[in-house]
Each structure stands twice: as structure tokens, then as C-alpha cells.
Amino acid sequence: MFILNLAIKDFLDNFWQKKPTVIKQGMINFQDPIQPDEIAGLAMEEEIESRLVYRDKNQKWQAQQGPFTDFSRLDEDGATLLIQSVDHWHKASQEIVRQFRFLPNWRFDDLMISYSTPEGGVGPHIDNYDVFIIQGLGKRHWRVGDRDDKKEFAAHGALKHCEPFDAIIDVTLMPSDILYIPCGFPHEGYAIEPSISYSVGFRAPDRNDLLRSYTDYVIDNNKKPVRYRDGAMKLREKPGKIENNELKRLHQLMLEGFSPAEKLVPWLGELLSESNHELDILEPDPAHSRLEIMSDLNKGNQFIRLGGLRAVYFECAPECIYINGDEYSCKGFIELGDYLCNQDEVGSELIELFEDNEEALNLFVDLINSGYWYVV
Ligand code: SIN
Ligand code: CO
């Protein structure tokens, strides 16, 4: 089993969201959890997002969306096949994601895996994600530039590039090396030999997206309208002027819609627990009974959280947890919420904690029958 070899506190203090860095031999005992033929197999699936990027014979960038049946491009140099959210579909790859649990669930986006033939890469670009790129099979040459406003353009309908940049990091990654790139830093990487890269991506929400989503939520939920009031209107000389006190009052009216921060619960919990990519949900049929589940737990079986499923709660309101965009009440048994959100696996300790709590067990049974946790 591989393990992350990173001085976490030092990394968080000095690099996280601040500057890119190379962690030589950042994974100990690393072995590729997936092989090139399995990567191609995932790219054949309808519900899995995949892309093939290459340069044609005129050196023009091309990008195609999957699913694919023809992989002949990968017999040539200069091609890359990329699969999004592999952690949702491929169990052995989830172990890579687990190594990064020192960062909060809600920041994690997905594990993207790419297979490149020599000289393959996606070109110079900027991501909206903080990303750890782990080198598996082969070697790959990476360049990373500084975070300044590089112009972006479409090199192809499905491929955004940025203008050339000077490198502040220029490195050849060997198997087990890690390159960390905070969002906003331009980068490009080209395989030196057949190569597999694992990108563990962390999303940073965009303010416009948050505002749009919150206002949609307020409108959809018919929150009581609060209207502007100005009962203290004074006689004025210039009816064309919007006075400073009026600007302030309108601003205040808007801010009150967002304040205090607790007002954002539950909308934000629902939003942040949603996955950006499809999940491989399989509801058990027939549904499991409580008795069956208790018996599994008693036998020492573990229940594992579905790959890519996000479970979170707020420090200020731990009696509700948010899973895959829905709110669940844990009133009277907040330890269960804490447990489900903070552990990847649930075992017999659950019985000791909640044996006498019917509501807690019912919630656990519901979640299992939704396909969110499954027995191994
Ligand atoms: C890749 O794996 O080919 C691209 C990763 C990246 O630059 O974000
Ligand atoms: Co990138």
C-alpha cells in the first residue's frame, strides 16, 4: 500500500494556495492502481467523462470527447487520453484520494487520470483547481509559470490554452514524484515516455457562481420578500440624485439577505455536498433490512462510503448533515453525522454507539439503501 510522504504542516503553511512545488518521491511504495488498458476501458463508458487530446499532422491541437471505441491515436506519439472522476468508478484508485484527507471533503473535486504517449500533453493552460499531480508510469516533463494574468484562448472548441509563460518550475517527474500547482498558475506537461498522471483536484468556488446559486435558492424557496423602506424621507432639492444614505440603505438591504453567515445553511450544505461528476450509485435491490445491516456489522464487516460521495456538516449546525445535495437530520445523534462525514469506513463500533437509537439506525439504513454506503 502506498503512502503520502509529505510534511503536511510545512506544506500548508508555505505552499497550499501560495506557490507550486515539487515533492520528490512524494508517494512511498507507489504502484499504479490502474493500467493503460483499464483507462481505455473507462473511456468506452457512456457515463464517464473522457477526452482525447493530440496534435494533428499540421501540429494543430485537437480534442475529442468520449466515449471512445477507437484508440488507434494512442499507437502514435503526442496523444493523451484523460478520464475525469476515476475515483467514482475505479475502487483501487480511491486509495490515492484518501492520501489527501488532510484537506476538507468539501474542497475536493475529483481524481483525473491521464495516459499519454511520448510528447503527449494538453498544452499550456491554467486550471481553476488546486491540483496535486502524481506521476505513475513513465516520466513527464513539466513547466509551471508564475500566477500573473496570462491571456487564455480556445486552441480548439474543447481545449482552453494560455499564452506562453516563463517557467518558475521546470522539472522531469519520475514515478512517485508529486507536483503541486495552486489554482491560477499556468503549466504544461509532456510525456517523455508512455506515462500515467494522477491529478487530485480541489475546487475553489467562484463568487459569481455562489451568488447566482444563492439567489436562485432564495427565489425558489419563496423566502418572504423584504422591501426597501424609507419612512424618514426628508425634503430634497435634487430629485435626480441617489443620496449616499440611500445607496447605503440599498446595500444594507442586500447584505441582510446574506447575513449572518448561518443564514447560508442549508443552501450551502446542499451545494457543497453535490458532486460535479456523475456517481456510480447502485441502490440495493431488494433493500437491506435493519436486521441484515446489524448482522453485517456484528460480523465485523465494514461499510464503505461510495467513491466520490461528499458528506459534510457545519461546525455551527452539526445536527444536520449534507450528502450528495440533500440534508439529513441527526438531531439527538450528532455523533452519527460526525462519524459518517469524517470516516471513510463504518464498522461494528456503530452498534456500540447507536444500538439503542432507532432514529440513528434508521438513517444509516436509509443511506445504505440509497447506495451511499455499501458493505465489503
Ligand atoms: C494531464 O494529466 O495530462 C493534464 C493535467 C493538468 O495539466 O492539469
Ligand atoms: Co492542468
Side-chain angles (χ1 to χ4, degrees):
M1 190 63 79
F2 47 81
I3 182 154
L4 181 65
N5 178 25
L6 176 68
I8 292 174
K9 184 172 179 322
D10 176 63
F11 170 78
L12 293 176
D13 289 348
N14 297 306
F15 298 102
W16 173 250
Q17 283 247 313
K18 299 170 197 74
K19 55 181 182 220
T21 185
V22 177
I23 307 143
K24 281 293 211 187
Q25 295 300 293
M27 284 283 186
I28 296 173
N29 283 336
F30 189 72
Q31 278 177 348
D32 287 277
I34 193 165
Q35 299 305 314
D37 59 334
E38 289 176 274
I39 298 177
L42 294 176
M44 297 176 82
E45 301 291 337
E46 189 84 43
E47 58 282 27
I48 303 182
E49 291 167 53
S50 57
R51 263 189 326 156
L52 184 65
V53 178
Y54 59 94
R55 268 170 284 192
D56 64 18
K57 53 184 184 311
N58 302 318
Q59 291 300 301
K60 245 182 104 276
W61 285 96
Q62 301 292 339
Q64 292 164 2
Q65 308 278 357
F68 298 100
T69 47
D70 176 6
F71 295 96
S72 52
R73 269 284 150 197
L74 296 175
D75 296 332
E76 294 169 31
D77 284 0
T80 297
L81 177 64
L82 306 107
I83 318 285
Q84 217 66 54
S85 59
V86 178
D87 54 313
H88 296 201
W89 309 96
H90 189 264
K91 195 155 181 307
S93 297
Q94 289 165 5
E95 199 47 53
I96 296 184
V97 174
R98 290 208 181 154
Q99 303 299 317
F100 295 88
R101 289 302 299 272
F102 65 90
L103 291 161
N105 295 358
W106 75 265
R107 283 286 263 112
F108 175 64
D109 188 59
D110 77 331
L111 170 70
M112 186 192 75
I113 299 186
S114 70
Y115 170 74
S116 301
T117 63
E119 293 169 40
V122 299
H125 67 279
I126 299 169
D127 291 321
N128 297 326
Y129 295 88
D130 301 284
V131 65
F132 296 86
I133 302 176
I134 300 140
Q135 183 66 34
L137 175 79
K139 295 180 201 156
R140 192 164 178 158
H141 176 216
W142 285 96
R143 293 177 69 254
V144 185
D146 214 343
R147 179 156 50 190
D148 47 19
D149 281 333
K150 287 273 166 269
K151 277 208 185 69
E152 295 180 86
F153 57 92
H156 177 274
L159 191 66
K160 207 196 246 178
H161 275 177
C162 69
E163 58 188 355
F165 55 86
D166 293 330
I168 54 169
I169 287 183
D170 188 320
V171 68
T172 295
L173 286 196
M174 309 294 282
S176 307
D177 290 347
I178 301 178
L179 172 62
Y180 166 68
I181 310 174
C183 58
F185 285 76
H187 55 279
E188 60 184 339
Y190 302 102
I192 295 175
E193 49 195 47
S195 157
I196 300 184
S197 300
Y198 301 86
S199 297
V200 184
F202 291 84
R203 59 184 171 179
D206 170 76
R207 179 167 51 192
N208 289 347
D209 291 342
L210 290 174
L211 289 174
R212 193 176 304 118
S213 170
Y214 184 67
T215 46
D216 282 353
Y217 165 83
V218 171
I219 291 163
D220 291 349
N221 286 278
N222 281 329
K223 295 276 176 217
K224 207 166 135 254
V226 181
R227 290 215 162 264
Y228 179 78
R229 296 177 70 155
D230 54 3
M233 179 74 81
K234 297 272 180 302
L235 183 67
R236 56 208 296 165
E237 282 173 14
K238 300 197 173 178
K241 184 161 72 184
I242 299 165
E243 292 182 359
N244 283 345
N245 73 77
E246 292 173 310
L247 174 64
K248 267 203 199 115
R249 215 186 280 243
L250 285 161
H251 185 218
Q252 193 56 36
L253 181 70
M254 289 175 74
L255 288 182
E256 279 160 14
F258 295 95
S259 191
E262 290 78 30
K263 219 174 190 162
L264 305 185
V265 179
W267 154 77
L268 193 54
E270 290 168 9
L271 181 85
L272 297 179
S273 66
E274 262 173 15
S275 175
N276 286 342
H277 310 277
E278 189 161 328
L279 292 162
D280 188 17
I281 299 175
L282 251 177
E283 290 182 17
D285 183 20
H288 292 305
S289 68
R290 197 161 96 192
L291 222 62
E292 283 172 289
I293 291 168
M294 293 298 271
S295 142
D296 272 326
L297 289 170
N298 271 318
K299 278 190 238 154
N301 290 338
Q302 299 281 313
F303 282 83
I304 298 206
R305 181 177 334 140
L306 179 70
L309 186 81
R310 235 175 233 88
V312 295
Y313 60 91
F314 291 94
E315 186 180 359
C316 66
E319 65 285 350
C320 283
I321 60 174
Y322 300 88
I323 302 174
N324 198 26
D326 289 317
E327 183 186 65
Y328 296 87
S329 170
C330 292
K331 212 161 180 203
F333 49 94
I334 57 172
E335 300 82 0
L336 178 66
D338 178 308
Y339 213 78
L340 293 172
C341 295
N342 291 312
Q343 311 286 330
D344 285 324
E345 289 171 15
V346 181
S348 53
E349 58 287 352
L350 197 89
I351 305 185
E352 286 141 40
L353 284 170
F354 305 109
E355 196 163 27
D356 302 324
N357 193 322
E358 183 137 345
E359 276 186 284
L361 290 173
N362 284 346
L363 172 60
F364 189 54
V365 172
D366 269 3
L367 294 172
I368 288 167
N369 286 326
S370 300
Y372 290 164
W373 271 259
Y374 60 92
V375 71
V376 282

mmCIF file of all heavy atoms in Angstrom, residues 51 80-82 112-116 120-123 125 127 131 133 140 142 181 187-189 196-199, ligand 1:
data_model
loop_
_atom_site.group_PDB
_atom_site.id
_atom_site.type_symbol
_atom_site.label_atom_id
_atom_site.label_comp_id
_atom_site.label_asym_id
_atom_site.label_seq_id
_atom_site.Cartn_x
_atom_site.Cartn_y
_atom_site.Cartn_z
ATOM 1 N N ARG A 51 -11.677 12.431 -22.530
ATOM 2 C CA ARG A 51 -11.234 13.325 -23.610
ATOM 3 C C ARG A 51 -9.958 12.785 -24.213
ATOM 4 O O ARG A 51 -9.115 12.224 -23.497
ATOM 5 C CB ARG A 51 -10.910 14.710 -23.037
ATOM 6 C CG ARG A 51 -11.996 15.703 -23.162
ATOM 7 C CD ARG A 51 -11.565 17.110 -22.792
ATOM 8 N NE ARG A 51 -10.583 17.189 -21.736
ATOM 9 C CZ ARG A 51 -9.742 18.227 -21.583
ATOM 10 N NH1 ARG A 51 -9.770 19.239 -22.419
ATOM 11 N NH2 ARG A 51 -8.882 18.238 -20.598
ATOM 12 N N THR A 80 -2.919 12.131 -25.672
ATOM 13 C CA THR A 80 -3.269 11.982 -24.246
ATOM 14 C C THR A 80 -4.740 11.616 -24.119
ATOM 15 O O THR A 80 -5.591 12.255 -24.746
ATOM 16 C CB THR A 80 -3.038 13.309 -23.477
ATOM 17 O OG1 THR A 80 -1.658 13.624 -23.530
ATOM 18 C CG2 THR A 80 -3.439 13.198 -22.027
ATOM 19 N N LEU A 81 -5.011 10.616 -23.315
ATOM 20 C CA LEU A 81 -6.392 10.231 -23.016
ATOM 21 C C LEU A 81 -6.646 10.576 -21.552
ATOM 22 O O LEU A 81 -5.896 10.140 -20.670
ATOM 23 C CB LEU A 81 -6.554 8.723 -23.245
ATOM 24 C CG LEU A 81 -7.921 8.124 -22.918
ATOM 25 C CD1 LEU A 81 -9.008 8.707 -23.824
ATOM 26 C CD2 LEU A 81 -7.889 6.599 -23.074
ATOM 27 N N LEU A 82 -7.666 11.388 -21.306
ATOM 28 C CA LEU A 82 -7.929 11.855 -19.940
ATOM 29 C C LEU A 82 -9.296 11.358 -19.467
ATOM 30 O O LEU A 82 -10.284 11.460 -20.208
ATOM 31 C CB LEU A 82 -7.929 13.379 -19.874
ATOM 32 C CG LEU A 82 -6.677 14.075 -20.414
ATOM 33 C CD1 LEU A 82 -6.987 14.737 -21.734
ATOM 34 C CD2 LEU A 82 -6.144 15.077 -19.428
ATOM 35 N N MET A 112 -8.524 12.896 -11.601
ATOM 36 C CA MET A 112 -8.477 12.732 -13.046
ATOM 37 C C MET A 112 -7.219 11.931 -13.383
ATOM 38 O O MET A 112 -6.165 12.162 -12.796
ATOM 39 C CB MET A 112 -8.411 14.093 -13.730
ATOM 40 C CG MET A 112 -8.501 13.980 -15.233
ATOM 41 S SD MET A 112 -8.093 15.521 -16.034
ATOM 42 C CE MET A 112 -6.337 15.570 -15.872
ATOM 43 N N ILE A 113 -7.364 10.987 -14.291
ATOM 44 C CA ILE A 113 -6.196 10.188 -14.675
ATOM 45 C C ILE A 113 -5.958 10.381 -16.166
ATOM 46 O O ILE A 113 -6.901 10.389 -16.969
ATOM 47 C CB ILE A 113 -6.407 8.696 -14.338
ATOM 48 C CG1 ILE A 113 -6.598 8.544 -12.821
ATOM 49 C CG2 ILE A 113 -5.213 7.867 -14.795
ATOM 50 C CD1 ILE A 113 -6.668 7.116 -12.318
ATOM 51 N N SER A 114 -4.689 10.569 -16.526
ATOM 52 C CA SER A 114 -4.386 10.671 -17.958
ATOM 53 C C SER A 114 -3.314 9.669 -18.338
ATOM 54 O O SER A 114 -2.403 9.382 -17.550
ATOM 55 C CB SER A 114 -3.949 12.090 -18.324
ATOM 56 O OG SER A 114 -2.682 12.364 -17.779
ATOM 57 N N TYR A 115 -3.458 9.150 -19.530
ATOM 58 C CA TYR A 115 -2.428 8.288 -20.113
ATOM 59 C C TYR A 115 -1.906 9.017 -21.348
ATOM 60 O O TYR A 115 -2.690 9.433 -22.203
ATOM 61 C CB TYR A 115 -3.016 6.922 -20.516
ATOM 62 C CG TYR A 115 -2.034 6.119 -21.337
ATOM 63 C CD1 TYR A 115 -0.934 5.518 -20.723
ATOM 64 C CD2 TYR A 115 -2.173 5.996 -22.715
ATOM 65 C CE1 TYR A 115 0.007 4.819 -21.474
ATOM 66 C CE2 TYR A 115 -1.245 5.295 -23.470
ATOM 67 C CZ TYR A 115 -0.153 4.711 -22.831
ATOM 68 O OH TYR A 115 0.780 4.032 -23.575
ATOM 69 N N SER A 116 -0.595 9.194 -21.434
ATOM 70 C CA SER A 116 -0.014 9.911 -22.575
ATOM 71 C C SER A 116 1.027 9.055 -23.258
ATOM 72 O O SER A 116 1.797 8.346 -22.605
ATOM 73 C CB SER A 116 0.689 11.193 -22.121
ATOM 74 O OG SER A 116 -0.205 12.040 -21.461
ATOM 75 N N GLY A 120 3.007 13.491 -25.535
ATOM 76 C CA GLY A 120 1.595 13.798 -25.303
ATOM 77 C C GLY A 120 1.431 14.744 -24.121
ATOM 78 O O GLY A 120 2.183 14.687 -23.143
ATOM 79 N N GLY A 121 0.432 15.633 -24.240
ATOM 80 C CA GLY A 121 0.118 16.590 -23.174
ATOM 81 C C GLY A 121 -1.085 17.390 -23.624
ATOM 82 O O GLY A 121 -1.542 17.228 -24.764
ATOM 83 N N VAL A 122 -1.610 18.256 -22.757
ATOM 84 C CA VAL A 122 -2.788 19.024 -23.171
ATOM 85 C C VAL A 122 -2.432 20.468 -23.514
ATOM 86 O O VAL A 122 -3.311 21.276 -23.794
ATOM 87 C CB VAL A 122 -3.929 18.968 -22.123
ATOM 88 C CG1 VAL A 122 -4.391 17.542 -21.906
ATOM 89 C CG2 VAL A 122 -3.510 19.605 -20.811
ATOM 90 N N GLY A 123 -1.135 20.807 -23.479
ATOM 91 C CA GLY A 123 -0.716 22.154 -23.838
ATOM 92 C C GLY A 123 -0.729 23.103 -22.650
ATOM 93 O O GLY A 123 -1.179 22.731 -21.551
ATOM 94 N N HIS A 125 -1.865 25.712 -20.060
ATOM 95 C CA HIS A 125 -3.206 26.123 -19.607
ATOM 96 C C HIS A 125 -3.188 26.504 -18.137
ATOM 97 O O HIS A 125 -2.195 26.296 -17.433
ATOM 98 C CB HIS A 125 -4.219 24.992 -19.850
ATOM 99 C CG HIS A 125 -3.955 23.782 -19.001
ATOM 100 N ND1 HIS A 125 -3.011 22.844 -19.312
ATOM 101 C CD2 HIS A 125 -4.497 23.368 -17.823
ATOM 102 C CE1 HIS A 125 -2.989 21.904 -18.389
ATOM 103 N NE2 HIS A 125 -3.883 22.206 -17.468
ATOM 104 N N ASP A 127 -5.634 26.128 -14.604
ATOM 105 C CA ASP A 127 -6.799 25.427 -14.031
ATOM 106 C C ASP A 127 -7.462 26.268 -12.952
ATOM 107 O O ASP A 127 -6.810 27.073 -12.286
ATOM 108 C CB ASP A 127 -6.361 24.091 -13.418
ATOM 109 C CG ASP A 127 -5.932 23.095 -14.487
ATOM 110 O OD1 ASP A 127 -6.576 23.044 -15.540
ATOM 111 O OD2 ASP A 127 -4.937 22.385 -14.262
ATOM 112 N N VAL A 131 -4.214 21.553 -7.586
ATOM 113 C CA VAL A 131 -4.059 20.164 -8.018
ATOM 114 C C VAL A 131 -2.715 19.560 -7.599
ATOM 115 O O VAL A 131 -1.691 20.239 -7.607
ATOM 116 C CB VAL A 131 -4.274 20.068 -9.555
ATOM 117 C CG1 VAL A 131 -3.193 20.809 -10.322
ATOM 118 C CG2 VAL A 131 -4.374 18.642 -10.032
ATOM 119 N N ILE A 133 -0.392 16.619 -8.856
ATOM 120 C CA ILE A 133 -0.213 15.700 -9.988
ATOM 121 C C ILE A 133 0.827 14.659 -9.590
ATOM 122 O O ILE A 133 1.993 14.990 -9.344
ATOM 123 C CB ILE A 133 0.214 16.459 -11.258
ATOM 124 C CG1 ILE A 133 -0.844 17.517 -11.611
ATOM 125 C CG2 ILE A 133 0.417 15.488 -12.421
ATOM 126 C CD1 ILE A 133 -0.485 18.388 -12.793
ATOM 127 N N ARG A 140 7.627 12.420 -17.086
ATOM 128 C CA ARG A 140 6.944 13.522 -17.776
ATOM 129 C C ARG A 140 7.633 14.835 -17.428
ATOM 130 O O ARG A 140 7.991 15.081 -16.270
ATOM 131 C CB ARG A 140 5.491 13.548 -17.315
ATOM 132 C CG ARG A 140 4.630 14.434 -18.139
ATOM 133 C CD ARG A 140 3.188 14.089 -17.879
ATOM 134 N NE ARG A 140 2.340 14.965 -18.629
ATOM 135 C CZ ARG A 140 1.093 14.705 -18.956
ATOM 136 N NH1 ARG A 140 0.554 13.564 -18.591
ATOM 137 N NH2 ARG A 140 0.384 15.558 -19.634
ATOM 138 N N TRP A 142 7.554 18.769 -16.886
ATOM 139 C CA TRP A 142 6.575 19.805 -16.525
ATOM 140 C C TRP A 142 7.224 21.173 -16.443
ATOM 141 O O TRP A 142 8.354 21.298 -15.960
ATOM 142 C CB TRP A 142 5.941 19.497 -15.156
ATOM 143 C CG TRP A 142 4.944 18.399 -15.188
ATOM 144 C CD1 TRP A 142 5.155 17.091 -14.885
ATOM 145 C CD2 TRP A 142 3.557 18.505 -15.560
ATOM 146 N NE1 TRP A 142 3.996 16.371 -15.028
ATOM 147 C CE2 TRP A 142 3.004 17.216 -15.449
ATOM 148 C CE3 TRP A 142 2.738 19.561 -15.960
ATOM 149 C CZ2 TRP A 142 1.663 16.957 -15.731
ATOM 150 C CZ3 TRP A 142 1.410 19.306 -16.248
ATOM 151 C CH2 TRP A 142 0.875 18.008 -16.131
ATOM 152 N N ILE A 181 0.270 22.275 -7.846
ATOM 153 C CA ILE A 181 0.045 23.547 -8.553
ATOM 154 C C ILE A 181 -1.213 24.210 -7.995
ATOM 155 O O ILE A 181 -2.319 23.685 -8.157
ATOM 156 C CB ILE A 181 -0.133 23.330 -10.077
ATOM 157 C CG1 ILE A 181 1.001 22.460 -10.646
ATOM 158 C CG2 ILE A 181 -0.190 24.668 -10.805
ATOM 159 C CD1 ILE A 181 0.811 22.087 -12.119
ATOM 160 N N HIS A 187 0.616 26.096 -16.572
ATOM 161 C CA HIS A 187 1.507 24.924 -16.577
ATOM 162 C C HIS A 187 1.309 24.117 -17.852
ATOM 163 O O HIS A 187 0.272 24.228 -18.515
ATOM 164 C CB HIS A 187 1.279 24.053 -15.337
ATOM 165 C CG HIS A 187 -0.139 23.620 -15.146
ATOM 166 N ND1 HIS A 187 -1.105 24.426 -14.587
ATOM 167 C CD2 HIS A 187 -0.772 22.464 -15.450
ATOM 168 C CE1 HIS A 187 -2.249 23.795 -14.550
ATOM 169 N NE2 HIS A 187 -2.088 22.585 -15.083
ATOM 170 N N GLU A 188 2.302 23.302 -18.139
ATOM 171 C CA GLU A 188 2.190 22.359 -19.260
ATOM 172 C C GLU A 188 3.120 21.197 -18.983
ATOM 173 O O GLU A 188 4.195 21.351 -18.396
ATOM 174 C CB GLU A 188 2.549 23.029 -20.601
ATOM 175 C CG GLU A 188 3.948 23.587 -20.668
ATOM 176 C CD GLU A 188 4.213 24.317 -21.987
ATOM 177 O OE1 GLU A 188 3.498 24.057 -22.966
ATOM 178 O OE2 GLU A 188 5.153 25.136 -22.008
ATOM 179 N N GLY A 189 2.676 20.008 -19.387
ATOM 180 C CA GLY A 189 3.477 18.809 -19.135
ATOM 181 C C GLY A 189 3.413 17.887 -20.330
ATOM 182 O O GLY A 189 2.330 17.657 -20.881
ATOM 183 N N ILE A 196 1.577 7.772 -17.069
ATOM 184 C CA ILE A 196 0.270 7.953 -16.407
ATOM 185 C C ILE A 196 0.409 9.045 -15.348
ATOM 186 O O ILE A 196 1.341 9.007 -14.534
ATOM 187 C CB ILE A 196 -0.237 6.647 -15.753
ATOM 188 C CG1 ILE A 196 -0.410 5.543 -16.808
ATOM 189 C CG2 ILE A 196 -1.561 6.884 -15.033
ATOM 190 C CD1 ILE A 196 -0.991 4.241 -16.272
ATOM 191 N N SER A 197 -0.508 10.026 -15.383
ATOM 192 C CA SER A 197 -0.543 11.097 -14.376
ATOM 193 C C SER A 197 -1.856 11.023 -13.616
ATOM 194 O O SER A 197 -2.909 10.816 -14.226
ATOM 195 C CB SER A 197 -0.480 12.473 -15.028
ATOM 196 O OG SER A 197 0.686 12.625 -15.769
ATOM 197 N N TYR A 198 -1.774 11.230 -12.319
ATOM 198 C CA TYR A 198 -2.962 11.227 -11.448
ATOM 199 C C TYR A 198 -3.134 12.643 -10.919
ATOM 200 O O TYR A 198 -2.267 13.136 -10.193
ATOM 201 C CB TYR A 198 -2.757 10.266 -10.279
ATOM 202 C CG TYR A 198 -2.498 8.846 -10.739
ATOM 203 C CD1 TYR A 198 -1.202 8.418 -11.054
ATOM 204 C CD2 TYR A 198 -3.539 7.935 -10.865
ATOM 205 C CE1 TYR A 198 -0.963 7.123 -11.491
ATOM 206 C CE2 TYR A 198 -3.304 6.632 -11.300
ATOM 207 C CZ TYR A 198 -2.024 6.240 -11.613
ATOM 208 O OH TYR A 198 -1.790 4.963 -12.045
ATOM 209 N N SER A 199 -4.236 13.307 -11.262
ATOM 210 C CA SER A 199 -4.458 14.680 -10.795
ATOM 211 C C SER A 199 -5.545 14.685 -9.722
ATOM 212 O O SER A 199 -6.712 14.421 -10.015
ATOM 213 C CB SER A 199 -4.923 15.570 -11.944
ATOM 214 O OG SER A 199 -3.942 15.656 -12.934
HETATM 215 C C1 SIN B 1 -2.737 15.768 -17.828
HETATM 216 O O1 SIN B 1 -2.753 14.927 -16.951
HETATM 217 O O2 SIN B 1 -2.380 15.488 -18.987
HETATM 218 C C2 SIN B 1 -3.113 17.182 -17.587
HETATM 219 C C3 SIN B 1 -3.081 17.535 -16.175
HETATM 220 C C4 SIN B 1 -3.108 19.018 -16.000
HETATM 221 O O3 SIN B 1 -2.295 19.731 -16.508
HETATM 222 O O4 SIN B 1 -3.970 19.548 -15.278
#
